Amino acid sequence: MRTLQNGQASLSGLLTVVPDGQNVYATAIPVLSSSNAVPEAGTLVFSGVDKSSSVSTDLHIQETAGFAGTFTVEFFGMDGNPIPPVRNESIEAFGYAALQDAAPAGAYA
């Protein structure tokens, strides 16, 4: 979506999960604007990712600058050491990638 009056528009996605076939969990996924995105060659760190028998972490990646490119996802344990695997993936201009159950066991960031 493009507009000259970005303060007049709002856009977001909604992710709904029914893990047990009965209970519904939903959360809004904000759609980032290029003015709020991570700059080229920048880094964004999320803490609080988890992987257990009852919890998983999904990552949603957007390209906001209008150029095809690549992104890297790395996970780190509580001690700061990397936890494999490292994901290097391509993304199209203005593309979106959903990485479901992405965090490996032991990851904290």
Side-chain angles (χ1 to χ4, degrees), residues 1-11 33-34:
M1 180 172 77
R2 295 178 186 219
T3 178
L4 295 175
Q5 300 171 337
N6 60 358
Q8 307 270 328
S10 175
L11 180 70
S33 67
S34 57

Side-chain angles (χ1 to χ4, degrees), residues 80-104:
N81 288 321
I83 298 175
V86 173
R87 295 178 76 154
N88 293 297
E89 299 194 21
S90 297
I91 192 165
E92 295 297 320
F94 298 114
Y96 168 79
L99 308 178
Q100 297 180 341
D101 196 12

Side-chain angles (χ1 to χ4, degrees), residues 15-97:
L15 177 65
T16 304
V17 179
V18 187
D20 60 3
Q22 294 180 330
N23 296 299
V24 177
Y25 300 93
T27 187
I29 301 172
V31 176
L32 300 176
S33 67
S34 57
S35 62
N36 294 328
V38 178
E40 183 178 357
T43 300
L44 178 63
V45 178
F46 289 107
S47 61
V49 299
D50 196 4
K51 171 66 174 178
S52 68
S53 60
S54 60
V55 176
S56 64
T57 298
D58 296 343
L59 299 177
H60 300 268
I61 312 292
Q62 281 180 261
E63 195 294 309
T64 61
F67 301 100
T70 60
F71 63 90
T72 301
V73 178
E74 298 176 275
F75 293 97
F76 298 89
M78 186 178 281
D79 58 4
N81 288 321
I83 298 175
V86 173
R87 295 178 76 154
N88 293 297
E89 299 194 21
S90 297
I91 192 165
E92 295 297 320
F94 298 114
Y96 168 79

